[in-house]
Amino acid sequence: MARRILLLTTGGTIASRPTEEGLAPGLAGAELAGLLPRGITDAYDLTIQDILHLDSSNIQPEEWQTIARHVFDNRTEYDGIVITHGTDTMAYTAAALSYLIQRSPKPIVLTGAQKPIGFDATDSRTNLRDSFECACTRDMHGVAIVFNGRVILGTRACKTHTKSFDAFASINYPNIADVRDGRVVKGVNFEGLRDVSDPARLAAHYSGQGADELVFYDITASAEGRRLFADALREVARTIFIPLTVGGGISSLEDFDRVLKCGADKVSVNTG
């Protein structure tokens, strides 16, 4: 079953359009989601609520209360909540929400972009994809900013660059996770990293990014006498609509038959 995500939009650069006076928030949440690759939005049960249409420099404590009220009212209905926000005051809003909504057992993710989603060179799609993944990750909870692959605790984020896509840093505290190629990983100094995503979501992501074919390899299965995980393979096959090639742990005709029945289009074997 697809994880349920609530997308709350507040304006900001990510939803801006060019005007005679410069960029200004103008895209509704449905338009924002419509500019994402289909594979990303199809991977989730997404509900959208437009609550503000502001440049983040105009967001005040009154708006913090509005955002917090929407989060609180919907806290039991969704697996996670993503809030799109302008970058100028995003760190302040994240800190405020951390105190207004304490000990949330579910992820409350703020994100935005340095370039509007309608621009060719934009960080919007990556930041939204990463935020959706974090918002449905069971190991995540509380308020965080997800930006340029960093997952930063809401009370530790600071905007450090006005133009670079790497706009935020965690102050005196490590990132609570990182997002690499659509995978949410946790670790310390890049040691002991562990996945907190799953193959089906990754498959949906790569399919949505325009991949022509997906190759599912367990490169040590044969050496370790391990069979491929049939349940994961079936879920991947249900998720994508591009050719799926599977290899690793194939040592008999029965293995061929099992893999094809799980949804693979082709089977790869090594004769070495």
Side-chain angles (χ1 to χ4, degrees):
M1 180 182 296
R3 304 282 281 172
R4 302 191 66 209
I5 296 176
L6 174 64
L7 176 63
L8 301 176
T9 69
T10 69
T13 296
I14 192 172
S16 288
R17 287 175 166 149
T19 71
E20 292 181 357
E21 298 178 352
L23 292 174
L27 290 176
E31 295 174 286
L32 199 67
L35 291 172
L36 290 170
R38 185 174 178 182
I40 294 177
T41 53
D42 286 351
Y44 310 98
D45 183 356
L46 186 65
T47 300
I48 302 168
Q49 294 181 16
D50 299 314
I51 56 177
L52 299 169
H53 292 280
L54 294 174
D55 184 298
S56 73
S57 62
N58 295 321
I59 287 185
Q60 303 292 323
E62 292 82 2
E63 282 74 41
W64 293 344
Q65 294 179 43
T66 297
I67 296 169
R69 189 158 48 247
H70 278 81
V71 171
F72 184 81
D73 289 346
N74 290 282
R75 68 192 186 282
T76 62
E77 301 299 319
Y78 299 91
D79 297 298
I81 296 174
V82 174
I83 303 165
T84 55
H85 196 288
T87 60
D88 286 346
T89 59
M90 186 189 299
Y92 299 107
T93 298
L97 291 177
S98 298
Y99 292 104
L100 288 168
I101 307 171
Q102 298 185 31
R103 296 182 292 278
S104 170
K106 298 178 181 179
I108 302 167
V109 176
L110 287 90
T111 195
Q114 296 286 65
K115 299 287 185 181
I117 195 168
F119 283 26
D120 290 335
T122 179
D123 51 338
S124 302
R125 296 178 182 86
T126 298
N127 288 342
L128 278 170
R129 177 204 68 190
D130 293 351
S131 297
F132 291 158
E133 189 64 22
C134 284
C136 65
T137 298
R138 291 180 176 84
D139 283 7
M140 301 292 295
H141 57 84
V143 178
I145 286 179
V146 174
F147 213 96
N148 197 48
R150 300 175 185 264
V151 185
I152 303 171
L153 192 66
T155 53
R156 296 288 183 164
C158 178
K159 186 177 180 182
T160 54
H161 295 93
T162 58
K163 295 183 179 180
S164 169
F165 286 173
D166 193 19
F168 289 87
S170 184
I171 305 303
N172 296 325
Y173 198 79
N175 295 343
I176 57 177
D178 295 282
V179 188
R180 294 182 175 184
D181 299 322
R183 295 164 47 216
V184 182
V185 296
K186 289 185 176 183
V188 178
N189 295 326
F190 302 104
E191 295 180 0
L193 288 177
R194 57 191 176 88
D195 283 325
V196 285
S197 184
D198 66 57
R201 291 198 188 99
L202 291 176
H205 161 67
Y206 289 121
S207 178
Q209 291 292 305
D212 296 317
E213 182 174 353
L214 182 69
V215 180
F216 191 112
Y217 270 134
D218 187 343
I219 61 175
T220 63
S222 295
E224 297 175 1
R226 182 176 61 253
R227 301 177 73 185
L228 277 166
F229 299 105
D231 290 342
L233 181 56
R234 289 191 193 95
E235 190 62 30
V236 168
R238 282 195 292 264
T239 301
I240 63 174
F241 298 94
I242 56 176
L244 173 61
T245 299
V246 176
I250 309 296
S251 59
S252 67
L253 291 176
E254 288 76 16
D255 290 334
F256 271 87
D257 185 61
R258 179 172 57 87
V259 168
L260 291 171
K261 285 180 177 178
C262 285
D265 298 290
K266 293 183 283 186
V267 179
S268 176
V269 294
N270 188 340
T271 60

